[in-house]
Amino acid sequence: MLAPLTVAAQQASPPWVRARALAVYLIVFQAGMAGGSALWGAVAARAGLNAAYFGIAAGLLLSAALAVQFKPAAEEAVDFTPAHHWPEPAVAGEPSLEAGPVMMQVEYRVDPPRADAFRNAMADLGRNRRRDGALQWWLFQDTADPSRFLETWIEATWAEHLRNHERASVAQRELEQRVHGLTQEGSAISTRHFIAPEPQPMRTAMVPASRGTDTRFSPMRTTN
């Protein structure tokens, strides 16, 4: 059983994080072995071997029932192969790799009948952004023009954002294509990058309004 579980853990992990994912998997697996040994050893010492064996059998049946209920979707394999579909960011000058925080803004135009479907698709994209390292993620709608949406998220450093350019997967590209398919036909999707002019602690950068901090960001790129 250990071999197919290990293979499944590898297949479910993106290449760039696979070593860390397997490390967590092994820690959990070994902790379960040690914890189960201690638990059922204590049960056997107090109630006898028969009670321990019946308890283990009941646990196996419960696990099988849960596996059927939750149905691990092996047939819905996600392609985490890097797609390299993000264009290289164009910058005025060469920012330091440690510069940050970095804020990205993407503007969309969406017809009102598609707004609900667009929000649902963006919720999936937001989870993907946060999973890939976004510290905060938001979706805003223009009060004066309901067809205009603004997606924005923050990453810790410029180096981390460049890494995400390399890591963006085929699955993420498909998710972005789903979002783009809900925008107005012929509308341009503009992307802008902003970087703090000097390193700031993230807790200050994240809640500037509550402290009255001057938060002037330097635009690094605008594309259509």
Side-chain angles (χ1 to χ4, degrees):
M1 182 177 290
L2 178 59
L5 286 175
T6 304
V7 171
Q10 293 185 53
Q11 292 178 337
S13 304
W16 60 271
V17 78
R18 184 166 293 155
R20 280 174 282 177
L22 285 176
V24 173
Y25 162 78
L26 290 174
I27 289 173
V28 173
F29 187 89
Q30 292 169 358
M33 292 278 290
S37 299
L39 170 64
W40 296 115
V43 171
R46 290 177 176 270
L49 286 175
N50 287 338
Y53 289 150
F54 279 113
I56 293 170
L60 289 173
L61 291 174
L62 178 61
S63 299
L66 290 175
V68 172
Q69 177 68 26
F70 289 104
K71 295 180 181 178
E75 70 278 4
E76 299 178 6
V78 178
D79 189 352
F80 289 115
T81 304
H84 300 294
H85 63 288
W86 285 5
E88 288 295 322
V91 298
E94 189 64 32
S96 167
L97 293 178
E98 299 305 316
V102 181
M103 180 173 67
M104 278 61 63
Q105 289 185 347
V106 185
E107 184 176 331
Y108 307 90
R109 291 282 180 173
V110 181
D111 292 323
R114 293 182 170 184
D116 288 339
F118 176 78
R119 291 190 194 95
N120 291 334
M122 288 301 297
D124 293 337
L125 183 58
R127 283 191 289 271
N128 189 91
R129 304 273 198 222
R130 290 189 290 267
R131 185 200 66 194
D132 287 351
L135 301 175
Q136 294 288 334
W137 178 89
W138 303 271
L139 178 66
F140 299 97
Q141 186 174 15
D142 193 335
T143 57
D145 182 2
S147 69
R148 181 171 176 257
F149 287 83
L150 184 67
E151 178 195 15
T152 182
W153 72 97
I154 290 180
E155 296 174 1
T157 64
W158 185 246
E160 185 64 25
H161 180 66
L162 293 180
R163 291 189 190 102
N164 281 334
H165 274 259
E166 298 298 322
R167 296 170 179 171
S169 65
V170 172
Q172 181 171 340
R173 182 181 63 189
E174 294 172 353
L175 184 55
E176 291 173 355
Q177 289 173 344
R178 174 186 161 199
V179 168
H180 296 171
L182 295 169
T183 60
Q184 289 181 352
E185 184 175 356
S187 64
I189 299 174
S190 61
T191 302
R192 294 181 293 174
H193 294 67
F194 300 86
I195 189 168
E198 58 185 34
Q200 302 178 32
M202 287 309 300
R203 62 180 180 275
T204 302
M206 300 307 299
V207 288
S210 64
R211 302 192 181 193
T213 306
D214 182 4
T215 57
R216 292 168 293 182
F217 288 86
S218 302
M220 302 303 296
R221 173 197 178 211
T222 301
T223 60
N224 292 324

